[in-house]
Amino acid sequence: MQSSTISQDEGNTLFPIVLSVVAAAATGVLWAYANPIQLVPGVIQWRIFAFLPPLIGILLGWRSGFICGYLGTIVWSLLAGTFIPAHSLLIDGIMVGLTGLIPGMLFDPSKLTFDRGVLIRIALVCLVVGVVMVAAVSASLAYLGIFPFWWAFGYIGLSDIVPMVIGTPLLIVPALKILKAAHPAGFKRF
């Protein structure tokens, strides 16, 4: 489908760092205010933009994906009024950060052609990383006495895993085209 010419050895390193911080802020704001379906009103909504950390991780690099997921979670929890220091800063932030880090480590656009097989592998990685993230977050919420584990696992899984598995492979090729047009000289992934 689409091959990449993003350079690993040349280009601007600041570009993906700045873009990952901007994407983190956008992620947090979108998660807080642009979720049309409330699964548990006021607590868990279908985060249709849950694909942003893995997408940023693949496009801009694993560190950028982690920044997007971690800071996006912190921004979201502060804006949504669900900030719990031990949970948000440690378990939730780190685990959502890993949803951007792991796909970013496994899929480098400069070394791949995004054909059907790669897109299916991206979806599978998002599924596995999503299940691990949801299990850890649900265990943390159960430990803190906020929600029962399986209840949290079901609703958070629906909230986050579905958009990651569908959105990331669906949007990677168009996002890569936009990124190339925005920075045609190339950049170093971060």
Side-chain angles (χ1 to χ4, degrees):
M1 284 188 157
Q2 175 71 28
S3 64
S4 173
T5 58
I6 295 174
S7 172
Q8 287 297 314
D9 301 321
E10 304 173 3
N12 188 348
T13 305
L14 187 60
F15 178 74
I17 296 170
V18 170
L19 200 53
S20 66
V21 172
V22 170
T27 297
V29 170
L30 288 168
W31 285 352
Y33 299 118
N35 295 300
I37 300 170
Q38 295 290 318
L39 299 174
V40 179
V43 180
I44 299 173
Q45 63 278 359
W46 192 23
R47 297 195 307 191
I48 57 175
F49 296 98
F51 63 82
L52 285 170
L55 185 70
I56 294 299
I58 294 169
L59 293 174
L60 302 178
W62 61 271
R63 292 179 196 96
S64 297
F66 185 84
I67 290 168
C68 179
Y70 184 86
L71 291 180
T73 297
I74 303 306
V75 170
W76 163 76
S77 65
L78 290 169
L79 291 175
T82 59
F83 183 79
I84 304 163
H87 173 74
S88 300
L89 293 172
L90 297 175
I91 305 301
D92 201 16
I94 290 171
M95 294 310 294
V96 175
L98 290 176
T99 68
L101 181 142
I102 293 171
M105 289 180 79
L106 297 176
F107 301 100
D108 182 348
S110 68
K111 299 175 182 170
L112 293 172
T113 299
F114 288 99
D115 58 13
R116 184 179 304 256
V118 170
L119 297 177
I120 290 170
R121 284 191 312 213
I122 289 171
L124 291 173
V125 166
C126 286
L127 175 65
V128 171
V129 171
V131 167
V132 171
M133 178 268 296
V134 169
V137 170
S138 299
S140 173
L141 292 172
Y143 178 77
L144 294 171
I146 297 171
F147 298 121
F149 176 82
W150 289 110
W151 185 88
F153 188 88
Y155 280 108
I156 296 172
L158 180 62
S159 165
D160 290 6
I161 295 172
V162 173
M164 284 181 5
V165 168
I166 295 171
T168 307
L170 184 66
L171 296 171
I172 191 76
V173 173
L176 186 58
K177 288 179 184 178
I178 292 168
L179 195 57
K180 284 182 184 179
H183 209 286
F187 59 90
K188 186 174 180 165
R189 290 173 80 228
F190 177 73

